[in-house]
């Protein structure tokens, strides 16, 4: 005789530990990946070849490249603002279009090793943020970045 029974299996999916969830107290934090689970803002503000601007957020903790490509179409895209995910509001911006780093080229997302990346031209591209109140010899700080240089150009 077979006795009917039911097995109930409960599966809980834990959210991944994001960098700023583990290491708190950042003065500023910029990434094309989500760094803090409590952050609900956009990653970047992008200007397209027609000078139309749009905020681009995250999907599954990475930059929403579908929205990025909808914004840029078959043209280019440039980062006007890189939003600070630390919660301190130190967004990095560049108002001068000629000095904005590129993120889309001819309708294709710029990548490095398969990951969306921002390309600075090595000449005048730069983003500026206000770091007043966090500098000084008595304040320890660290800067972490991933950079690839192009030699020979």
């Amino acid at each position: 005789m077979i006795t009917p029974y039911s097995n109930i299996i409960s599966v809980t999916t834990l959210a991944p530990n994001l960098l700023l969830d583990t290491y708190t107290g950042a003065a500023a934090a910029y990434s094309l990946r989500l760094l803090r689970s409590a952050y609900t803002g956009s990653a970047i503000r992008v200007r397209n070849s027609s000078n139309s601007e749009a905020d681009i957020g995250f999907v599954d903790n990475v930059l929403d490249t579908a929205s990025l490509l909808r914004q840029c179409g078959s043209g280019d895209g440039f980062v006007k603002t890189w939003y600070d995910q630390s919660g301190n509001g130190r967004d990095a911006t560049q108002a001068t279009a000629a000095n904005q780093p590129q993120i889309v080229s001819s309708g294709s997302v710029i990548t490095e090793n398969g990951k969306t990346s921002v390309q600075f031209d090595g000449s005048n591209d730069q983003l500026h943020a206000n770091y007043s109140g966090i500098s000084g010899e008595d304040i320890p700080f660290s800067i972490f970045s991933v950079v690839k240089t192009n030699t020979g150009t």
Side-chain angles (χ1 to χ4, degrees):
M1 178 174 154
I2 298 175
T3 306
Y5 65 93
S6 78
N7 288 330
I8 299 174
I9 299 173
S10 176
V11 177
T12 302
T13 304
L14 299 176
N17 285 337
L18 300 175
L19 185 67
L20 295 183
D21 293 338
T22 302
Y23 301 99
T24 61
Y30 313 96
S31 181
L32 300 178
R33 269 82 71 204
L34 188 64
L35 297 175
R36 188 169 60 97
S37 57
Y39 182 73
T40 58
S42 296
I44 55 177
R45 183 161 189 82
V46 173
R47 177 185 60 82
N48 65 19
S49 299
S50 301
N51 292 321
S52 171
E53 297 177 10
D55 286 335
I56 308 297
F58 299 99
V59 171
D60 295 327
N61 297 340
V62 297
L63 188 71
D64 182 355
T65 55
S67 292
L68 177 63
L69 290 175
R70 273 193 302 279
Q71 165 65 11
C72 298
S74 60
D76 296 334
F78 302 89
V79 177
K80 180 176 181 176
T81 303
W82 203 335
Y83 294 109
D84 174 17
Q85 294 184 49
S86 73
N88 295 319
R90 293 186 171 106
D91 302 333
T93 62
Q94 178 54 263
T96 304
N99 297 347
Q100 294 170 349
Q102 192 170 8
I103 193 164
V104 174
S105 177
S106 301
S108 296
V109 176
I110 295 173
T111 62
E112 185 63 40
N113 295 324
K115 304 284 186 192
T116 304
S117 62
V118 177
Q119 183 176 341
F120 291 78
D121 68 8
S123 173
N124 61 357
D125 288 359
Q126 51 191 286
L127 297 168
H128 300 274
N130 182 358
Y131 297 112
S132 65
I134 63 170
S135 62
E137 293 179 20
D138 60 337
I139 301 172
F141 68 92
S142 299
I143 297 174
F144 301 94
S145 63
V146 178
V147 177
K148 178 182 178 189
T149 60
N150 291 330
T151 58
T153 58

